[in-house]
């Protein structure tokens, strides 16, 4: 990594003098042939200062007219087209991280890597979004992309001078995949234990770290105000407040037909619940839909939507401890459910290097009032990550 000492025009062309002198990394093909010399050379460069990371990736292609790229929407599935994918592990714990991907037309994709996802083979949560920018450009020799990620868009462990880091490129028409660290078919790029290191990070600056999103919703000539606020508490903790929560901008669920006797599992897409979801995303690692706590049940009762009057959430990591608190007050539905207070607390403490002790209190169902933990038992052992876990809960 090289220092960012001048402004970079984000146009995807990497024309500034800094790019010519920045340290470079080359990718190695592992699909379809491991270690093969490819004509599609990929060069990765990273610049950083106290406020942002800027990445430049040059993707050579001897036949640029055959580049495969068709997506334009945010968070589109880029797996069937040319793209570059970046992962960051700012806590250097090899269990969580962030994903950023861009195709040759500049379509952006971001996702969150959670500890639960690591147990399930390095999967990711694409419903998470943050603030970042990217621009791509094509040329007679291929295509290139510039990516700017503000430091305040990420949570990270203070004092680190290196982060977990990896880069991967897909050349779709040849079904070729290249990667920087640990190129191999046995690992996904999102398995952070197989990431490389982004070294020589500067001292990072957070500024105020406050974001506020007010809204006014009008229904049948009745106006209701709502407010969402996020405050960073240091580099590794977030606090949220939501009043008269409005989910009007939330992406709708995909229509599905259930032909089984089991309930369908729909992903969480509401902004308030997605922020900090890596703390509350946990379980035995059997399946993505086997989890002790699922926030989609908050604000829903017997298929009816229950309004959320106020909610707060705090989550973060301090040393070897991860913690999360979610408290919500839902409104009343006459004849169905009274106003209800619900809360869930989760604490995880890493011990002995490869083990962890966990404590979780499940939330109450609407109408049940507050609920607290009443017992403690050994819950499961996750051999996939070699992590022995004890969970406490009601």
């Amino acid at each position: 990594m090289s220092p960012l000492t001048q402004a970079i025009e984000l146009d995807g062309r990497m024309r500034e003098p800094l790019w010519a002198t920045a340290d470079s990394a080359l990718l190695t093909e592992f699909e379809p042939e491991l270690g093969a010399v490819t004509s599609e050379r990929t060069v990765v460069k990273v610049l950083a200062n106290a406020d942002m990371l800027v990445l430049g990736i040059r993707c050579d292609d001897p036949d640029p007219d055959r580049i495969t790229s068709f997506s334009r929407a945010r968070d589109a599935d880029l797996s069937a087209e040319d793209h570059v994918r970046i992962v960051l592990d700012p806590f250097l714990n090899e269990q969580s991280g962030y994903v950023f991907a861009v195709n040759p037309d500049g379509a952006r994709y971001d996702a969150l890597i959670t500890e639960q996802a690591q147990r399930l083979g390095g999967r990711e949560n694409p419903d998470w979004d943050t603030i970042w920018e990217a621009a791509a450009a094509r040329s007679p020799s291929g295509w290139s992309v510039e990516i700017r990620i503000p430091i305040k868009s990420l949570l990270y462990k203070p004092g680190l001078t290196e982060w977990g880091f990896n880069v991967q490129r897909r050349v779709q028409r040849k079904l070729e995949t290249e990667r920087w660290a640990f190129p191999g078919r046995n690992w996904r790029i999102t398995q952070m234990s197989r990431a490389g290191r982004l070294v020589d990070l500067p001292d990072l600056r957070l500024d105020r770290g406050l974001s506020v999103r007010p809204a006014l919703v009008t229904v049948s000539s009745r106006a209701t105000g709502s407010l969402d606020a996020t405050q960073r508490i240091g580099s590794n903790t977030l606090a949220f407040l939501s009043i008269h929560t409005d989910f009007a901008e939330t992406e709708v669920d995909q229509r599905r037909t259930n032909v089984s006797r089991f309930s369908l599992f729909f992903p969480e897409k509401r902004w308030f619940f997605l922020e900090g979801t890596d703390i509350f995303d946990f379980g035995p690692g059997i399946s993505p839909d086997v989890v002790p706590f699922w926030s989609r049940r908050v604000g829903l009762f017997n298929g009816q939507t229950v309004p959320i009057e106020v909610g707060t959430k705090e989550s973060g990591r301090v040393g070897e401890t991860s913690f999360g608190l979610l408290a919500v007050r839902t409104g009343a539905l006459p004849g169905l459910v009274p106003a209800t207070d619900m809360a869930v607390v989760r604490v995880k403490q890493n011990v002995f290097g490869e083990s962890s002790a966990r404590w979780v209190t499940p939330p109450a169902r609407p109408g049940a009032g507050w609920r607290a933990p009443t017992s403690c038992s050994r819950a499961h052992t996750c051999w996939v990550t070699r992590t022995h876990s004890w969970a406490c809960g009601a």
Side-chain angles (χ1 to χ4, degrees):
M1 192 201 68
S2 301
L4 176 60
T5 57
Q6 69 179 63
I8 297 293
E9 181 184 357
L10 211 68
D11 57 7
R13 301 189 181 278
M14 300 175 64
R15 294 179 293 188
E16 289 78 6
L18 275 180
W19 291 123
T21 58
D23 295 336
S24 301
L26 301 178
L27 307 191
T28 303
E29 180 183 329
F30 66 92
E31 263 184 352
E33 185 176 351
L34 179 62
V37 177
T38 174
S39 58
E40 290 79 17
R41 188 168 181 259
T42 307
V43 180
V44 182
K45 301 189 177 190
V46 183
L47 306 173
N49 61 18
D51 301 305
M52 68 184 71
L53 294 179
V54 181
L55 299 95
I57 305 175
R58 193 185 76 235
C59 304
D60 295 342
D61 196 316
D63 194 359
D65 292 335
R66 299 181 63 193
I67 291 175
T68 304
S69 180
F70 48 83
S71 294
R72 300 292 189 274
R74 175 74 178 266
D75 285 342
D77 183 3
L78 304 180
S79 59
E81 55 190 292
D82 287 35
H83 68 277
V84 292
R85 185 177 297 260
I86 300 157
V87 295
L88 292 170
D89 177 9
F91 283 92
L92 206 59
N93 59 9
E94 300 184 350
Q95 297 180 5
S96 60
Y98 302 95
V99 181
F100 302 92
V102 185
N103 73 358
D105 290 317
R108 295 178 300 149
Y109 170 95
D110 50 10
L112 191 65
I113 304 171
T114 66
E115 177 187 333
Q116 173 77 351
Q118 294 293 289
R119 295 178 180 172
L120 296 170
R123 302 185 186 186
E124 58 202 54
N125 182 357
D127 296 310
W128 174 85
D129 291 312
T130 192
I131 298 173
W132 61 292
E133 300 172 277
R138 303 198 192 197
S139 69
S141 60
W143 65 284
S144 57
V145 59
E146 291 176 326
I147 299 172
R148 180 160 52 213
I149 305 174
I151 295 299
K152 59 186 177 183
S153 294
L154 308 173
L155 289 179
Y156 60 90
K157 184 176 181 179
L160 290 180
T161 59
E162 61 181 48
W163 289 355
F165 176 72
N166 213 346
V167 185
Q168 180 172 290
R169 177 190 176 188
R170 178 70 171 177
V171 183
Q172 181 61 24
R173 72 176 184 278
K174 294 186 175 182
L175 301 181
E176 287 181 0
T177 310
E178 309 167 20
R179 190 182 298 163
W180 177 56
F182 286 91
R185 304 184 188 96
N186 295 331
W187 307 288
R188 301 187 186 192
I189 188 175
T190 49
Q191 290 179 257
M192 300 311 300
S193 61
R194 302 295 178 177
R197 293 291 183 266
L198 183 64
V199 300
D200 296 330
L201 288 169
D203 292 333
L204 304 177
R205 182 170 55 231
L206 284 176
D207 294 329
R208 183 169 298 177
L210 174 66
S211 63
V212 180
R213 303 198 308 178
L216 184 65
V217 181
T218 303
V219 179
S220 301
S221 301
R222 179 184 176 186
T224 303
S226 69
L227 177 68
D228 294 319
T230 304
Q231 175 66 60
R232 295 192 64 140
I233 305 174
S235 62
N236 50 9
T237 304
L238 283 176
F240 309 89
L241 174 66
S242 182
I243 300 174
H244 294 151
T245 311
D246 172 39
F247 298 124
E249 296 181 352
T250 302
E251 180 184 355
V252 298
D253 291 317
Q254 181 181 9
R255 180 169 294 184
R256 298 160 63 186
T257 301
N258 188 7
V259 295
S260 72
R261 61 190 179 91
F262 302 103
S263 300
L264 293 175
F265 185 86
F266 288 95
E268 179 62 86
K269 298 183 178 182
R270 296 173 294 179
W271 173 85
F272 174 75
F273 295 101
L274 281 174
E275 292 294 335
T277 188
D278 55 322
I279 301 296
F280 294 97
D281 185 14
F282 63 98
I286 301 172
S287 171
D289 54 357
V290 179
V291 289
F293 168 70
W294 189 234
S295 59
R296 279 295 294 259
R297 296 187 179 275
V298 179
L300 190 68
F301 184 71
N302 290 342
Q304 298 291 321
T305 300
V306 181
I308 296 178
E309 294 183 350
V310 63
T312 184
K313 180 164 62 172
E314 291 76 36
S315 62
R317 294 178 175 86
V318 178
E320 297 298 321
T321 304
S322 302
F323 63 92
L325 165 66
L326 171 65
V328 173
R329 179 174 178 81
T330 57
L333 290 181
L336 182 64
V337 60
T340 306
D341 297 317
M342 293 179 284
V344 59
V345 179
R346 195 238 177 167
V347 179
K348 173 193 169 187
Q349 177 67 45
N350 293 329
V351 293
F352 305 126
E354 295 185 353
S355 299
S356 62
R358 306 152 188 252
W359 182 77
V360 57
T361 64
R365 291 184 176 274
W370 290 98
R371 188 176 177 183
T374 57
S375 64
C376 179
S377 62
R378 181 169 179 173
H380 54 268
T381 301
C382 300
W383 297 104
V384 176
T385 58
R386 299 176 300 165
T387 300
H388 304 283
S389 305
W390 285 262
C392 302

